[in-house]
Amino acid sequence: MAKGDPGGTTRSRRAAPRSKKGATGDPELVQLLTPDGERIESHTSPDGTEYRVDFTDEEYRGLYRDLVLVRKLDAEATALQRQGELGLWASLLGQEAAQVGSGRALRTQDMAFPTYREHGVLYCRGIDPIMPLGLFRGVDQGGWDPNEFKFNMYTIVIGAQTLHATGYAMGITMDGKTGTDDGEAAIAYFGDGATSQGDVNEAFVWASVFNAPLVFFCQNNQYAISEPLERQTRVPLYQRAAGFGFPGVRVDGNDVLASYAVTRTALDNARHGQGPSLIEAYTYRMGAHTTSDDPTRYRIASEVEAWQAKDPITRVKAFLEKQQIADADFFAEVDEQARRESVHLRERVLDMPNPEPVTMFDHVYPNGSPLLDEQRAQFTRYMESFEGSAH
Ligand SMILES: Cc1ncc(C[n+]2csc(CCOP(=O)(O)OP(=O)(O)O)c2C)c(N)n1
Ligand SMILES: [Mg+2]
Protein backbone atom coordinates (compact mmCIF):
# COMPACT_ATOMS: atom_id res chain seq x y z
CA MET A 1 0.00 0.00 0.00
CA ALA A 2 1.40 3.39 -0.95
CA LYS A 3 2.29 5.77 1.84
CA GLY A 4 -0.20 8.60 2.11
CA ASP A 5 -3.74 8.79 3.22
CA PRO A 6 -5.56 5.52 2.54
CA GLY A 7 -9.16 5.47 3.57
CA GLY A 8 -9.40 9.22 3.49
CA THR A 9 -9.51 10.14 -0.18
CA THR A 10 -12.46 10.49 -2.54
CA ARG A 11 -11.61 7.90 -5.20
CA SER A 12 -14.19 5.25 -5.97
CA ARG A 13 -14.80 3.10 -2.96
CA ARG A 14 -16.14 -0.33 -2.38
CA ALA A 15 -18.95 -0.23 0.13
CA ALA A 16 -18.90 -2.96 2.74
CA PRO A 17 -20.98 -5.78 1.28
CA ARG A 18 -23.34 -5.98 4.19
CA SER A 19 -23.70 -4.89 7.71
CA LYS A 20 -23.16 -7.65 10.20
CA LYS A 21 -23.36 -6.10 13.60
CA GLY A 22 -21.91 -7.61 16.72
CA ALA A 23 -20.32 -10.56 14.92
CA THR A 24 -18.11 -11.39 17.87
CA GLY A 25 -20.96 -11.05 20.32
CA ASP A 26 -18.70 -8.66 22.20
CA PRO A 27 -19.83 -5.03 21.95
CA GLU A 28 -16.53 -3.95 23.46
CA LEU A 29 -14.38 -5.50 20.72
CA VAL A 30 -14.04 -3.43 17.55
CA GLN A 31 -14.06 -5.73 14.55
CA LEU A 32 -14.64 -4.87 10.88
CA LEU A 33 -13.51 -8.14 9.29
CA THR A 34 -14.42 -11.51 10.80
CA PRO A 35 -12.04 -14.49 10.80
CA ASP A 36 -14.11 -15.87 7.89
CA GLY A 37 -13.48 -12.76 5.82
CA GLU A 38 -16.94 -11.21 6.27
CA ARG A 39 -17.01 -7.42 6.31
CA ILE A 40 -18.77 -5.62 9.13
CA GLU A 41 -19.78 -2.21 7.89
CA SER A 42 -19.22 -0.29 11.08
CA HIS A 43 -18.82 -0.69 14.80
CA THR A 44 -20.26 1.71 17.33
CA SER A 45 -18.60 1.53 20.72
CA PRO A 46 -20.56 1.95 23.97
CA ASP A 47 -19.25 5.55 24.16
CA GLY A 48 -20.89 6.32 20.80
CA THR A 49 -17.70 6.35 18.69
CA GLU A 50 -18.31 4.87 15.28
CA TYR A 51 -15.52 2.99 13.52
CA ARG A 52 -15.55 2.27 9.79
CA VAL A 53 -13.11 2.21 6.87
CA ASP A 54 -13.63 3.25 3.30
CA PHE A 55 -10.91 1.76 1.13
CA THR A 56 -10.61 1.41 -2.62
CA ASP A 57 -9.98 -2.05 -4.07
CA GLU A 58 -6.39 -1.03 -4.67
CA GLU A 59 -5.99 -0.07 -1.03
CA TYR A 60 -7.44 -3.37 0.15
CA ARG A 61 -4.96 -5.19 -2.08
CA GLY A 62 -2.20 -2.96 -0.70
CA LEU A 63 -2.98 -3.97 2.88
CA TYR A 64 -2.87 -7.63 1.89
CA ARG A 65 0.51 -7.12 0.22
CA ASP A 66 1.86 -5.41 3.36
CA LEU A 67 0.71 -8.28 5.57
CA VAL A 68 2.25 -10.96 3.37
CA LEU A 69 5.53 -9.09 2.96
CA VAL A 70 6.08 -8.39 6.64
CA ARG A 71 5.30 -12.01 7.52
CA LYS A 72 7.71 -13.35 4.91
CA LEU A 73 10.54 -10.99 5.89
CA ASP A 74 10.00 -11.91 9.53
CA ALA A 75 10.18 -15.63 8.71
CA GLU A 76 13.42 -15.02 6.83
CA ALA A 77 14.89 -13.24 9.85
CA THR A 78 13.93 -16.17 12.09
CA ALA A 79 15.61 -18.56 9.65
CA LEU A 80 18.74 -16.39 9.56
CA GLN A 81 18.95 -16.54 13.35
CA ARG A 82 18.54 -20.32 13.28
CA GLN A 83 21.47 -20.52 10.87
CA GLY A 84 23.66 -18.45 13.17
CA GLU A 85 23.51 -15.25 11.13
CA LEU A 86 21.64 -13.19 13.76
CA GLY A 87 22.23 -13.23 17.50
CA LEU A 88 18.52 -13.08 18.28
CA TRP A 89 15.18 -12.31 16.61
CA ALA A 90 11.84 -11.25 18.10
CA SER A 91 9.22 -12.46 15.64
CA LEU A 92 5.99 -10.58 14.91
CA LEU A 93 4.22 -13.73 13.68
CA GLY A 94 0.49 -13.34 14.36
CA GLN A 95 0.69 -9.62 15.05
CA GLU A 96 0.90 -8.44 11.43
CA ALA A 97 -2.60 -6.92 11.33
CA ALA A 98 -2.17 -4.90 14.53
CA GLN A 99 1.11 -3.53 13.19
CA VAL A 100 0.17 -2.90 9.56
CA GLY A 101 -3.26 -1.52 10.51
CA SER A 102 -1.86 0.93 13.06
CA GLY A 103 1.25 1.65 10.99
CA ARG A 104 -0.78 2.63 7.92
CA ALA A 105 -3.06 4.78 10.11
CA LEU A 106 -0.14 7.04 11.03
CA ARG A 107 0.03 10.27 9.10
CA THR A 108 3.41 11.41 7.79
CA GLN A 109 3.94 13.89 10.63
CA ASP A 110 3.15 11.41 13.43
CA MET A 111 5.98 10.00 15.56
CA ALA A 112 6.13 6.33 16.58
CA PHE A 113 7.97 4.81 19.54
CA PRO A 114 8.41 1.05 19.05
CA THR A 115 9.50 -1.87 21.21
CA TYR A 116 11.78 -4.53 19.68
CA ARG A 117 8.99 -6.33 17.80
CA GLU A 118 7.51 -3.60 15.60
CA HIS A 119 9.02 -4.72 12.29
CA GLY A 120 5.63 -4.28 10.59
CA VAL A 121 5.27 -0.69 11.74
CA LEU A 122 8.88 -0.04 10.71
CA TYR A 123 8.02 -1.36 7.24
CA CYS A 124 4.98 0.94 7.01
CA ARG A 125 7.14 3.92 7.93
CA GLY A 126 9.18 3.30 4.79
CA ILE A 127 12.33 2.08 6.56
CA ASP A 128 14.40 -0.55 4.77
CA PRO A 129 13.61 -3.84 6.58
CA ILE A 130 17.32 -4.67 6.61
CA MET A 131 17.86 -2.04 9.33
CA PRO A 132 16.78 -4.05 12.41
CA LEU A 133 18.73 -7.06 11.18
CA GLY A 134 21.99 -5.15 11.59
CA LEU A 135 20.98 -4.52 15.17
CA PHE A 136 20.15 -8.18 15.84
CA ARG A 137 23.32 -9.28 14.07
CA GLY A 138 25.26 -7.02 16.40
CA VAL A 139 27.00 -5.05 13.67
CA ASP A 140 25.30 -1.69 14.17
CA GLN A 141 22.89 0.19 16.41
CA GLY A 142 19.91 0.02 14.08
CA GLY A 143 20.99 2.63 11.63
CA TRP A 144 17.86 4.55 10.72
CA ASP A 145 17.36 8.22 11.49
CA PRO A 146 14.37 8.50 13.89
CA ASN A 147 13.64 12.06 12.81
CA GLU A 148 13.74 11.31 9.10
CA PHE A 149 11.29 8.41 9.32
CA LYS A 150 9.40 9.53 12.43
CA PHE A 151 10.15 6.16 13.99
CA ASN A 152 12.30 6.03 17.11
CA MET A 153 14.99 3.41 17.75
CA TYR A 154 13.89 -0.01 19.01
CA THR A 155 13.66 -0.08 22.81
CA ILE A 156 14.44 -3.27 24.70
CA VAL A 157 13.90 -1.83 28.19
CA ILE A 158 10.29 -2.82 28.74
CA GLY A 159 7.96 0.17 28.81
CA ALA A 160 10.68 2.86 28.74
CA GLN A 161 9.55 4.12 25.33
CA THR A 162 6.14 5.10 26.72
CA LEU A 163 7.87 7.77 28.82
CA HIS A 164 9.93 8.93 25.84
CA ALA A 165 6.74 9.15 23.80
CA THR A 166 4.95 11.08 26.53
CA GLY A 167 7.76 13.62 26.71
CA TYR A 168 7.76 13.91 22.92
CA ALA A 169 3.99 14.37 22.84
CA MET A 170 4.13 17.03 25.56
CA GLY A 171 6.68 18.77 23.34
CA ILE A 172 4.23 18.72 20.43
CA THR A 173 1.74 20.61 22.59
CA MET A 174 4.38 23.08 23.80
CA ASP A 175 5.34 23.76 20.18
CA GLY A 176 1.70 24.55 19.42
CA LYS A 177 1.43 21.76 16.86
CA THR A 178 -2.00 20.43 17.80
CA GLY A 179 -5.50 21.64 17.11
CA THR A 180 -5.66 21.35 13.31
CA ASP A 181 -6.09 18.60 10.71
CA ASP A 182 -2.37 18.70 10.00
CA GLY A 183 -1.46 18.71 13.69
CA GLU A 184 0.95 16.15 15.09
CA ALA A 185 0.48 13.15 17.35
CA ALA A 186 2.66 10.37 18.75
CA ILE A 187 2.07 6.67 19.27
CA ALA A 188 3.77 4.42 21.81
CA TYR A 189 3.84 0.66 21.26
CA PHE A 190 4.15 -1.76 24.16
CA GLY A 191 3.03 -5.21 25.24
CA ASP A 192 0.63 -6.67 27.78
CA GLY A 193 3.50 -7.45 30.15
CA ALA A 194 4.71 -3.87 29.95
CA THR A 195 1.46 -2.65 31.50
CA SER A 196 2.80 -3.89 34.85
CA GLN A 197 5.85 -1.65 34.59
CA GLY A 198 6.09 1.55 36.62
CA ASP A 199 7.26 3.43 33.53
CA VAL A 200 4.03 2.71 31.66
CA ASN A 201 1.83 3.73 34.56
CA GLU A 202 3.83 6.93 35.04
CA ALA A 203 3.49 7.63 31.33
CA PHE A 204 -0.29 7.21 31.66
CA VAL A 205 -0.39 9.74 34.50
CA TRP A 206 1.76 12.32 32.74
CA ALA A 207 0.07 11.99 29.38
CA SER A 208 -3.31 12.31 31.05
CA VAL A 209 -2.72 15.34 33.22
CA PHE A 210 -0.84 17.18 30.45
CA ASN A 211 -3.42 16.16 27.82
CA ALA A 212 -0.59 14.90 25.62
CA PRO A 213 -1.40 14.08 21.96
CA LEU A 214 -0.44 10.44 22.39
CA VAL A 215 -1.90 7.05 21.52
CA PHE A 216 -0.86 4.19 23.79
CA PHE A 217 -0.96 1.13 21.53
CA CYS A 218 -0.80 -2.06 23.58
CA GLN A 219 -0.44 -5.28 21.61
CA ASN A 220 -1.90 -7.78 24.00
CA ASN A 221 -0.35 -10.93 22.54
CA GLN A 222 -1.37 -12.84 25.69
CA TYR A 223 2.16 -13.47 27.00
CA ALA A 224 5.14 -11.69 28.48
CA ILE A 225 7.71 -14.34 27.62
CA SER A 226 6.19 -17.26 29.61
CA GLU A 227 3.91 -15.18 31.84
CA PRO A 228 0.28 -15.32 30.71
CA LEU A 229 -2.04 -12.32 30.76
CA GLU A 230 -3.74 -13.34 34.02
CA ARG A 231 -0.46 -12.65 35.82
CA GLN A 232 -0.63 -9.00 34.66
CA THR A 233 -4.22 -7.99 35.22
CA ARG A 234 -7.64 -8.90 36.61
CA VAL A 235 -9.48 -6.42 34.38
CA PRO A 236 -9.35 -6.09 30.58
CA LEU A 237 -6.33 -3.93 29.83
CA TYR A 238 -8.22 -1.26 27.89
CA GLN A 239 -10.34 -0.58 31.00
CA ARG A 240 -7.23 0.55 32.85
CA ALA A 241 -7.42 3.83 30.88
CA ALA A 242 -10.52 4.94 32.79
CA GLY A 243 -8.58 5.04 36.05
CA PHE A 244 -6.10 7.44 34.48
CA GLY A 245 -8.82 9.64 32.98
CA PHE A 246 -8.68 8.92 29.26
CA PRO A 247 -10.56 6.63 26.88
CA GLY A 248 -9.64 3.04 26.21
CA VAL A 249 -10.78 0.76 23.41
CA ARG A 250 -10.25 -2.90 22.63
CA VAL A 251 -9.81 -3.86 19.00
CA ASP A 252 -9.48 -7.20 17.26
CA GLY A 253 -5.74 -7.00 16.68
CA ASN A 254 -5.94 -9.73 14.03
CA ASP A 255 -8.23 -7.50 11.96
CA VAL A 256 -6.19 -5.06 9.89
CA LEU A 257 -9.23 -2.93 9.01
CA ALA A 258 -10.36 -2.44 12.61
CA SER A 259 -6.79 -1.84 13.77
CA TYR A 260 -6.51 0.86 11.11
CA ALA A 261 -9.86 2.44 12.04
CA VAL A 262 -9.30 2.70 15.81
CA THR A 263 -5.74 3.98 15.43
CA ARG A 264 -6.71 6.59 12.84
CA THR A 265 -9.51 7.86 15.10
CA ALA A 266 -7.33 7.93 18.21
CA LEU A 267 -4.48 9.75 16.44
CA ASP A 268 -6.85 12.28 14.89
CA ASN A 269 -8.45 12.94 18.27
CA ALA A 270 -4.98 13.46 19.74
CA ARG A 271 -3.84 15.84 16.98
CA HIS A 272 -7.02 17.87 17.49
CA GLY A 273 -6.14 18.44 21.13
CA GLN A 274 -8.36 15.80 22.71
CA GLY A 275 -5.52 14.17 24.62
CA PRO A 276 -4.31 10.60 25.00
CA SER A 277 -6.09 7.29 24.60
CA LEU A 278 -5.31 3.62 25.03
CA ILE A 279 -5.82 0.99 22.36
CA GLU A 280 -5.64 -2.65 23.40
CA ALA A 281 -5.04 -4.69 20.24
CA TYR A 282 -6.23 -8.15 21.22
CA THR A 283 -3.96 -10.57 19.40
CA TYR A 284 -1.69 -13.57 19.84
CA ARG A 285 2.02 -14.22 19.54
CA MET A 286 1.98 -17.26 17.24
CA GLY A 287 5.68 -17.96 17.58
CA ALA A 288 8.21 -17.90 20.39
CA HIS A 289 8.87 -14.77 22.45
CA THR A 290 12.27 -14.61 20.78
CA THR A 291 14.47 -17.23 19.17
CA SER A 292 15.84 -17.92 22.68
CA ASP A 293 12.44 -19.09 23.91
CA ASP A 294 10.59 -22.42 23.70
CA PRO A 295 6.85 -21.73 24.07
CA THR A 296 5.96 -25.45 24.23
CA ARG A 297 7.22 -25.29 27.82
CA TYR A 298 4.36 -23.07 28.96
CA ARG A 299 1.42 -23.23 26.54
CA ILE A 300 -0.63 -25.98 24.95
CA ALA A 301 -0.94 -26.75 21.25
CA SER A 302 -4.75 -26.42 21.20
CA GLU A 303 -4.46 -22.78 22.25
CA VAL A 304 -2.15 -22.03 19.34
CA GLU A 305 -4.49 -23.90 16.97
CA ALA A 306 -7.49 -21.86 18.16
CA TRP A 307 -5.63 -18.68 17.25
CA GLN A 308 -4.49 -20.09 13.92
CA ALA A 309 -8.19 -20.05 12.97
CA LYS A 310 -8.13 -16.29 13.52
CA ASP A 311 -5.08 -15.69 11.32
CA PRO A 312 -4.83 -12.05 10.24
CA ILE A 313 -3.78 -12.79 6.65
CA THR A 314 -6.19 -15.66 5.88
CA ARG A 315 -9.20 -13.48 6.60
CA VAL A 316 -8.08 -10.67 4.26
CA LYS A 317 -7.42 -13.20 1.52
CA ALA A 318 -10.89 -14.72 2.03
CA PHE A 319 -12.44 -11.26 1.82
CA LEU A 320 -10.54 -10.33 -1.35
CA GLU A 321 -11.57 -13.60 -2.98
CA LYS A 322 -15.23 -13.45 -1.96
CA GLN A 323 -15.57 -9.88 -3.15
CA GLN A 324 -13.54 -10.59 -6.30
CA ILE A 325 -11.17 -7.78 -5.45
CA ALA A 326 -8.18 -9.99 -6.24
CA ASP A 327 -7.61 -13.07 -8.38
CA ALA A 328 -5.14 -15.94 -8.37
CA ASP A 329 -2.63 -13.97 -10.47
CA PHE A 330 -2.55 -11.23 -7.86
CA PHE A 331 -1.92 -13.66 -4.99
CA ALA A 332 0.84 -15.39 -6.97
CA GLU A 333 2.46 -12.07 -7.79
CA VAL A 334 2.46 -11.00 -4.10
CA ASP A 335 3.99 -14.36 -3.09
CA GLU A 336 6.67 -13.91 -5.73
CA GLN A 337 7.46 -10.39 -4.53
CA ALA A 338 7.71 -11.67 -0.96
CA ARG A 339 10.05 -14.46 -2.07
CA ARG A 340 12.26 -12.03 -4.02
CA GLU A 341 12.45 -9.51 -1.17
CA SER A 342 13.32 -12.17 1.39
CA VAL A 343 16.12 -13.55 -0.81
CA HIS A 344 17.42 -10.00 -1.21
CA LEU A 345 17.22 -9.49 2.56
CA ARG A 346 19.23 -12.67 3.16
CA GLU A 347 21.90 -11.71 0.65
CA ARG A 348 22.34 -8.31 2.22
CA VAL A 349 22.59 -9.75 5.74
CA LEU A 350 25.33 -12.15 4.66
CA ASP A 351 27.16 -9.21 3.05
CA MET A 352 27.12 -7.05 6.18
CA PRO A 353 30.68 -6.14 7.10
CA ASN A 354 31.86 -6.86 10.62
CA PRO A 355 32.69 -3.54 12.27
CA GLU A 356 36.09 -2.87 13.82
CA PRO A 357 35.67 -3.41 17.59
CA VAL A 358 36.97 0.08 18.33
CA THR A 359 33.99 1.64 16.53
CA MET A 360 31.84 0.83 19.58
CA PHE A 361 33.10 4.13 20.98
CA ASP A 362 31.68 6.06 18.04
CA HIS A 363 28.29 7.77 18.34
CA VAL A 364 28.15 7.52 22.14
CA TYR A 365 28.04 11.32 22.39
CA PRO A 366 27.58 13.68 19.44
CA ASN A 367 30.91 15.44 20.16
CA GLY A 368 32.78 12.72 22.03
CA SER A 369 34.20 13.19 25.54
CA PRO A 370 37.66 13.10 27.15
CA LEU A 371 36.74 10.02 29.19
CA LEU A 372 35.59 8.22 26.07
CA ASP A 373 38.82 9.19 24.28
CA GLU A 374 40.81 7.72 27.15
CA GLN A 375 38.77 4.48 27.04
CA ARG A 376 39.19 4.22 23.28
CA ALA A 377 42.96 4.62 23.58
CA GLN A 378 43.11 2.02 26.34
CA PHE A 379 41.02 -0.41 24.29
CA THR A 380 43.17 0.17 21.20
CA ARG A 381 46.32 -0.69 23.21
CA TYR A 382 44.58 -3.79 24.53
CA MET A 383 43.66 -4.95 21.00
CA GLU A 384 47.20 -4.25 19.78
CA SER A 385 48.55 -6.48 22.54
CA PHE A 386 47.15 -9.46 20.62
CA GLU A 387 48.96 -8.66 17.39
CA GLY A 388 51.37 -11.38 16.40
CA SER A 389 49.95 -13.81 18.97
CA ALA A 390 47.82 -16.84 18.20
CA HIS A 391 44.77 -15.38 20.05
C1 LIG B 1 12.78 -3.35 32.35
C2 LIG B 1 12.89 -4.73 31.78
N1 LIG B 1 12.59 -5.80 32.54
C3 LIG B 1 12.67 -7.04 32.04
C4 LIG B 1 13.07 -7.24 30.73
C5 LIG B 1 13.15 -8.66 30.15
N2 LIG B 1 12.05 -8.85 29.19
C6 LIG B 1 12.27 -8.78 27.86
S1 LIG B 1 10.85 -9.01 26.98
C7 LIG B 1 9.94 -9.22 28.39
C8 LIG B 1 8.45 -9.50 28.30
C9 LIG B 1 7.67 -8.40 27.65
O1 LIG B 1 6.35 -8.80 27.46
P1 LIG B 1 5.30 -7.86 26.77
O2 LIG B 1 5.36 -6.51 27.34
O3 LIG B 1 3.99 -8.57 26.83
O4 LIG B 1 5.80 -7.74 25.23
P2 LIG B 1 5.96 -8.90 24.15
O5 LIG B 1 7.38 -9.38 24.20
O6 LIG B 1 4.97 -9.95 24.45
O7 LIG B 1 5.70 -8.24 22.83
C10 LIG B 1 10.75 -9.12 29.53
C11 LIG B 1 10.25 -9.28 30.90
C12 LIG B 1 13.42 -6.11 29.96
N3 LIG B 1 13.82 -6.19 28.70
N4 LIG B 1 13.30 -4.86 30.50
MG1 LIG C 1 3.09 -9.75 25.38
Side-chain angles (χ1 to χ4, degrees):
M1 184 178 235
K3 213 175 168 188
D5 187 17
T9 60
T10 54
R11 283 172 290 142
S12 81
R13 310 249 153 233
R14 176 177 294 262
R18 66 194 171 92
S19 181
K20 195 169 167 238
K21 294 231 158 110
T24 59
D26 180 357
E28 306 271 309
L29 183 78
V30 183
Q31 189 183 68
L32 298 176
L33 186 64
T34 71
D36 296 333
E38 295 288 340
R39 274 285 274 116
I40 298 162
E41 191 174 327
S42 66
H43 177 104
T44 303
S45 285
D47 69 359
T49 309
E50 191 192 41
Y51 296 101
R52 61 169 66 236
V53 289
D54 185 20
F55 289 120
T56 62
D57 288 356
E58 195 187 334
E59 288 166 345
Y60 280 125
R61 286 191 293 266
L63 287 171
Y64 176 80
R65 188 184 299 275
D66 289 341
L67 293 169
V68 171
L69 287 175
V70 300
R71 177 172 290 186
K72 179 72 175 172
L73 294 171
D74 181 75
E76 192 63 43
T78 300
L80 282 162
Q81 193 285 333
R82 285 291 180 253
Q83 292 158 16
E85 300 295 345
L86 301 180
L88 185 78
W89 185 247
S91 169
L92 61 58
L93 186 63
Q95 299 177 220
E96 297 88 351
Q99 295 198 13
V100 168
S102 62
R104 287 297 178 204
L106 289 162
R107 296 187 194 268
T108 316
Q109 68 271 26
D110 296 336
M111 181 73 184
F113 290 81
T115 70
Y116 40 79
R117 204 185 291 285
E118 267 67 73
H119 322 306
V121 186
L122 174 139
Y123 185 87
C124 292
R125 291 267 83 183
I127 298 173
D128 186 336
I130 195 74
M131 291 300 191
L133 277 75
L135 186 66
F136 285 102
R137 191 173 164 90
V139 298
D140 62 39
Q141 318 285 345
W144 63 89
D145 177 350
N147 286 322
E148 183 187 348
F149 294 99
K150 294 277 186 179
F151 186 82
N152 202 42
M153 301 313 293
Y154 278 4
T155 301
I156 311 270
V157 181
I158 300 299
Q161 73 283 359
T162 59
L163 285 173
H164 308 155
T166 301
Y168 186 96
M170 288 167 64
I172 292 175
T173 309
M174 287 171 197
D175 288 346
K177 291 182 176 164
T178 56
T180 61
D181 284 351
D182 57 3
E184 293 182 18
I187 185 167
Y189 288 88
F190 56 103
D192 45 291
T195 62
S196 300
Q197 287 288 121
D199 280 7
V200 175
N201 289 271
E202 288 161 22
F204 285 174
V205 170
W206 279 72
S208 177
V209 299
F210 285 93
N211 205 43
L214 177 59
V215 176
F216 291 104
F217 194 93
C218 177
Q219 284 169 87
N220 174 2
N221 63 8
Q222 313 298 328
Y223 288 93
I225 315 183
S226 57
E227 288 293 294
L229 183 67
E230 66 259 25
R231 288 283 170 273
Q232 312 294 344
T233 187
R234 292 295 163 115
V235 298
L237 289 175
Y238 74 98
Q239 290 180 4
R240 291 254 182 100
F244 292 90
F246 51 85
V249 62
R250 177 183 270 181
V251 65
D252 180 346
N254 285 16
D255 172 353
V256 70
L257 305 183
S259 296
Y260 177 95
V262 296
T263 312
R264 183 44 78 95
T265 299
L267 283 167
D268 284 348
N269 287 343
R271 85 179 76 258
H272 281 103
Q274 292 176 38
S277 58
L278 169 65
I279 295 172
E280 178 191 0
Y282 202 76
T283 182
Y284 192 74
R285 197 196 71 215
M286 297 299 296
H289 168 71
T290 65
T291 46
S292 298
D293 171 48
D294 173 8
T296 62
R297 301 283 295 271
Y298 55 82
R299 67 186 191 188
I300 53 174
S302 60
E303 180 183 294
V304 182
E305 282 158 21
W307 278 91
Q308 257 154 6
K310 301 180 197 171
D311 187 278
I313 301 185
T314 313
R315 68 177 74 182
V316 179
K317 191 172 186 187
F319 166 66
L320 296 181
E321 283 172 338
K322 273 186 217 173
Q323 297 302 316
Q324 299 183 341
I325 298 173
D327 57 15
D329 286 352
F330 168 78
F331 294 120
E333 183 260 308
V334 171
D335 285 347
E336 174 52 24
Q337 182 187 352
R339 193 197 61 79
R340 252 190 350 262
E341 289 196 17
S342 63
V343 169
H344 188 45
L345 190 79
R346 163 174 294 267
E347 286 167 355
R348 291 190 294 158
V349 167
L350 300 184
D351 275 353
M352 280 178 175
N354 283 336
E356 288 300 321
V358 73
T359 57
M360 72 171 129
F361 295 97
D362 298 346
H363 311 302
V364 177
Y365 298 112
N367 303 313
S369 83
L371 181 60
L372 209 59
D373 290 344
E374 200 181 298
Q375 288 176 354
R376 183 189 289 107
Q378 199 178 17
F379 183 74
T380 302
R381 283 195 300 278
Y382 173 71
M383 293 303 280
E384 283 168 358
S385 72
F386 293 104
E387 277 173 19
S389 79
H391 298 286

